[in-house]
Amino acid sequence: MLKDIVDVLADPIDRSPLRGADDYSRLVSETGHSYDVARQGYVTLASGAGLNHEGDSADMVTARELFLSQGHFAPFVETVTERVADAVEKSHAEEPVVLEVGAGTGYYLAHTLDSIEGSRGVGIDISTPAAKHLAKAHGRLGAVVADVWEGLPLRDASVDALTVIFAPRNPAEFARVLTDEGEAVILVADSGHLDELREPLGILGVEGGKLERLLEQTRGHLEQIGEPELLEFPIRLDRDSIAAQVGMSPSARHVDPAELRESIAALPDHMEVTAKARLLRFRKA
Ligand SMILES: C[S@@+](CC[C@H](N)C(=O)[O-])C[C@H]1O[C@@H](n2cnc3c(N)ncnc32)[C@H](O)[C@@H]1O
């Protein structure tokens, strides 16, 4: 709930501290700006201009919820949680704050919060349909709609660990909000991820050079800890899971739905597909 994390939130206009008002129906800043809390429990923290980028649609969020609930990405969620738990242990914080940027449905953050006693979660996403899910994902999670490119509505040095799983990154902001001991755990899809689906369905593959771009972006802001870790495992998908996987991915915006339904119907009952990503850890430079 927002109550649990309001002490780390900041006014997106001037970064002054926020507090709950009128029984947490609004958050107000020291400088007098007011942000309504939606009845579903999330708050939109955007500067006056509003949000410029479009996040995942309601259909994409529903597809993501369905796919992840089937446990296909369990090795991803377990490894991310372990790395965050290690980072938080080093921080010695009693109620460590874990931030997930581009948190989607909250699947990863909720799992991490369950595993780390006393931890508190901030889930940020630009998508309002995602924020509605996020707000319900865990009792110790506060959901915020914000644009990571615009900046994070968080106080300086307020976050013990942050995660980004297949979502956009703003390394300068990550360095600003992390504590001195804090760590960023970033999962990036690797070339070959779900490749077996690409040709039969005519969907987008993972573009090359993602890792190199991430390292370039972080230069001067974040310093890598250790080497990137390869996470690779097979998953067995039926046609419904394949439809959900495509529905939650950027391909959902690029493929004609009728053509996609036809291509999926032509697939075998089950397919074995490779999940492949690299996990990187960083601290403030
Ligand atoms: C591929 S999804 C990953 C969601 C979640 N991390 C997961 O793996 O289930 C990317 C997420 O980033 C969000 N997103 C896209 N652009 C964003 C931005 N500029 N600021 C914040 N979130 C953004 C999308 O709405 C979406 O929920």
Side-chain angles (χ1 to χ4, degrees):
M1 282 176 7
L2 287 169
K3 250 186 213 145
D4 299 306
I5 53 129
V6 73
D7 60 311
V8 302
L9 297 180
D11 188 331
I13 296 172
D14 55 25
R15 298 218 183 113
S16 67
L18 288 170
R19 63 176 174 79
D22 302 332
D23 202 20
Y24 271 86
S25 59
R26 305 184 289 137
L27 300 186
V28 291
S29 71
E30 276 180 0
T31 47
H33 301 122
S34 173
Y35 302 92
D36 289 342
V37 174
R39 67 186 158 76
Q40 294 93 344
Y42 65 87
V43 65
T44 300
L45 295 178
S47 65
L51 299 165
N52 293 320
H53 297 265
E54 199 186 319
D56 282 8
S57 65
D59 284 348
M60 289 170 81
V61 172
T62 305
R64 178 172 302 282
E65 181 98 322
L66 176 68
F67 182 84
L68 292 174
S69 72
Q70 293 166 347
H72 301 299
F73 281 175
F76 287 152
V77 73
E78 278 156 20
T79 311
V80 167
T81 291
E82 278 173 28
R83 300 299 167 269
V84 173
D86 288 348
V88 157
E89 204 180 297
K90 282 183 239 153
S91 80
H92 301 295
E94 265 177 35
E95 292 185 331
V97 173
V98 183
L99 162 69
E100 182 172 356
V101 174
T105 59
Y107 171 75
Y108 288 86
L109 185 53
H111 190 275
T112 301
L113 295 175
D114 266 344
S115 307
I116 305 177
E117 214 186 313
S119 57
R120 304 178 286 150
V122 183
I124 290 187
D125 204 288
I126 199 170
S127 150
T128 304
K132 289 178 185 166
H133 282 255
L134 260 178
K136 289 182 291 189
H138 197 282
R140 284 182 270 118
L141 190 163
V144 176
V145 174
D147 178 356
V148 66
W149 301 125
E150 190 185 279
L152 296 171
L154 292 166
R155 299 195 201 175
D156 296 355
S158 59
V159 168
D160 298 290
L162 75 81
T163 60
V164 189
I165 295 132
F166 308 140
R169 303 165 291 257
N170 183 337
E173 277 294 272
F174 294 175
R176 180 182 68 79
V177 302
L178 278 175
T179 60
D180 287 343
E181 306 76 34
E183 288 185 19
V185 174
I186 301 184
L187 195 65
V188 186
D190 206 9
S191 51
H193 180 55
L194 308 178
D195 235 13
E196 295 85 347
L197 299 177
R198 195 159 54 87
E199 212 181 300
L201 301 182
I203 57 175
L204 307 169
V206 175
E207 357 138 38
K210 264 186 181 261
L211 210 62
E212 292 71 18
R213 267 199 306 285
L214 168 60
L215 293 174
E216 180 59 35
Q217 277 182 334
T218 54
R219 194 165 300 153
H221 304 294
L222 300 171
E223 176 184 288
Q224 201 183 161
I225 307 170
E227 289 297 309
E229 195 177 338
L230 174 64
L231 309 181
E232 184 174 10
F233 49 92
I235 52 179
R236 191 172 143 82
L237 301 179
D238 62 17
R239 290 197 200 94
D240 288 345
S241 315
I242 291 172
Q245 166 53 225
V246 178
M248 72 192 233
S249 74
S251 302
R253 301 188 202 274
H254 298 281
V255 189
D256 175 64
E259 269 178 36
L260 183 65
R261 269 196 300 278
E262 250 177 58
S263 324
I264 291 178
L267 294 176
D269 281 350
H270 288 90
M271 282 183 77
E272 189 153 303
V273 172
T274 310
K276 194 174 171 202
R278 304 256 169 191
L279 183 143
L280 291 93
R281 292 160 52 224
F282 297 89
R283 64 170 80 88
K284 276 158 97 130

